[in-house]
Amino acid sequence: MRYNSTTDKSIVVTASQAIAQGISTDGGLFVPMEIPQYSMSDIDALTKLDYRGRAKKILADYLDDFTAEEIDECVEKAYTKEKFGSDDPAPLSYQKFGDVDMNILELWHGPTSAFKDMALQILPHLLTKSLKKTTDKEAVILVATSGDTGKAALEGFRDVDGTKIMVFYPVDGVSPMQKRQMTTQEGENVAVCAIKGNFDDAQTGVKRIFTDPALVKTLNDNGYLFSSANSINWGRLLPQIVYYFSAYSEMVNDGKIKLGDKINVAVPTGNFGNILASYYAYRMGLPINKFICASNSNNVLTDFIATGTYDKNRSFYATISPSMDILVSSNLERFLYHMTDGSDAQVKEWMTALKTTGAYSVDDATKAKITDIFTGGFCDDEKTQQIIGEFFNKYGYLCDTHTAVAVSVYKDYVEKTGDKTPTVIDSTASPYKFSKAVLEAVADGETLPDDEFAMVDLLSEKTSTQVPAPLAALKSKETRFTNVCAKEDMADFVLGTLGVK
Ligand SMILES: *Cc1c(COP(=O)(O)O)cnc(C)c1O
């Protein structure tokens, strides 16, 4: 199994190189050169396994330069009962919204209460093993975050041998809960620093450090190298394929579908990673009928699927589903590569247009191929809160703002098409990560407390649902990281933390 770049097929690497490197030297993303094929009897075999067993099988088929023991170790360390609250890290919850069945795939039972844990609990293990195969240095992971990714990466890399992780967040750019999650982070190999600037400044600062030859050399001389945990790494995408096979298996086991029946998937989408993982599952043989791509008011993907034109020249909205506030969905590049049967030249042309003009249009044949299996829709903040309120008050299920976007778009789809295919709806975060917006949605009009933890308690009281233990525990946790630095001083922070001059 080899991987090549989406924009230059002559660049070919092994699985561990793809993961260690993160991104191709030509700026393209790594894609598998062939996709493992599962027959119905292979899928039948998966139904007999637990989540970890399914993960081992699927990972082994993509990571052929890992030994079975190495994959076992990665999976066993990542998806523990201790970290995910049960032996099934991705449970399904069968709900109804009016007469529409909602098979909600809860992906947020991990340590940071967002679906990023599904990949970031295992990536550190995959990455350290990949690094061992390709270098003898210790990895310094740098992350710029607007909230969810930083915390999930910290928690994933905490106390992982051979790694150090440093996270930079904009001092006024994250929610109170997200800030507390990061500043109280435990672990011997972690550091967190707020920067006086916005998310773009943090991102630019990290990129500058990555590419500063003098800094890279200083690190090298001291036995370190920089590495990345962002969502373009194949090692973050691959673990997400597993939960689609797992959800299908559970629905077969629960008698919701028969082996071989088709399902739809509805995914609240930002960077296009999660929904792309479901597409890989489909290409491997999982019977999927339609991919329902749900966006918030930043509906660049809805327009792309409807028109074939991707255009990021538009207003940016800060919404109550902030993890989907994104105008450049990086993983779309991989999807386009597969939709053009691997035309690296074509993908390169579109990506260059995106960089230079902010827009590109795909040809009619590609557009037809996309709309054959994909449909898109969006939902604004007002509708999102209305859905949360109705789903809870009428039908008794509490969901977060991102999940509500998918629920809304799926409801619209069913109304428009009458499609009765059983559908898996990805639930990507705990409602307690976005307490204010969720509380407003279920509390109709009463005055809410200002304090984050008072809101969390009130939400729990009103909805008779439990606050995830790691979020509740933050209230009494000691703050470890109070550093705030100027954006020009990020490199000094890195060197100082490493004790390197
Ligand atoms: C990251 C994130 C998303 C978007 O997922 P993509 O893979 O980037 O499309 C949706 N919901 C939540 C809560 C997230 O953290």
Side-chain angles (χ1 to χ4, degrees), residues 114-116 148 240 268-274 323-324 400 402 428-429:
F115 94 103
K116 302 286 194 293
D148 278 349
Q240 297 184 254
T269 298
N271 223 4
F272 209 76
N274 201 358
S323 304
M324 291 152 66
D400 95 294
H402 303 75
T428 49

Side-chain angles (χ1 to χ4, degrees), residues 73-80 83-84 110-129 139 141 143 147-167 181-182 185-192 228-230 235-236 239 433 470:
E73 197 191 318
C74 291
V75 169
E76 293 294 337
K77 279 190 177 163
Y79 302 114
T80 63
K83 285 174 172 164
F84 285 85
T112 78
S113 305
F115 94 103
K116 302 286 194 293
D117 289 328
M118 298 303 299
L120 279 163
Q121 279 299 309
I122 193 162
L123 176 70
H125 305 296
L126 298 174
L127 184 63
T128 46
K129 289 195 166 41
I141 317 287
V143 180
D148 278 349
T149 296
K151 174 60 185 179
L154 282 165
E155 199 58 41
F157 280 93
R158 133 189 197 187
D159 294 330
V160 171
D161 285 347
T163 71
K164 297 202 183 316
I165 176 160
M166 295 173 210
V167 169
Q181 278 190 305
M182 290 188 281
Q185 178 65 45
E186 291 165 358
E188 294 303 311
N189 63 337
V190 306
V192 176
S228 145
N230 62 24
R236 268 190 65 174
K433 272 199 115 163

Side-chain angles (χ1 to χ4, degrees), residues 368-403:
K369 261 177 110 170
I370 294 172
T371 48
D372 194 35
I373 47 174
F374 269 67
T375 176
F378 77 101
C379 168
D380 66 15
D381 280 358
E382 194 185 335
K383 184 80 188 288
T384 303
Q385 284 186 308
Q386 189 194 318
I387 290 279
I388 294 171
E390 200 180 339
F391 206 176
F392 180 73
N393 291 322
K394 274 198 180 159
Y395 309 109
Y397 185 76
L398 186 71
C399 72
D400 95 294
T401 48
H402 303 75
T403 308

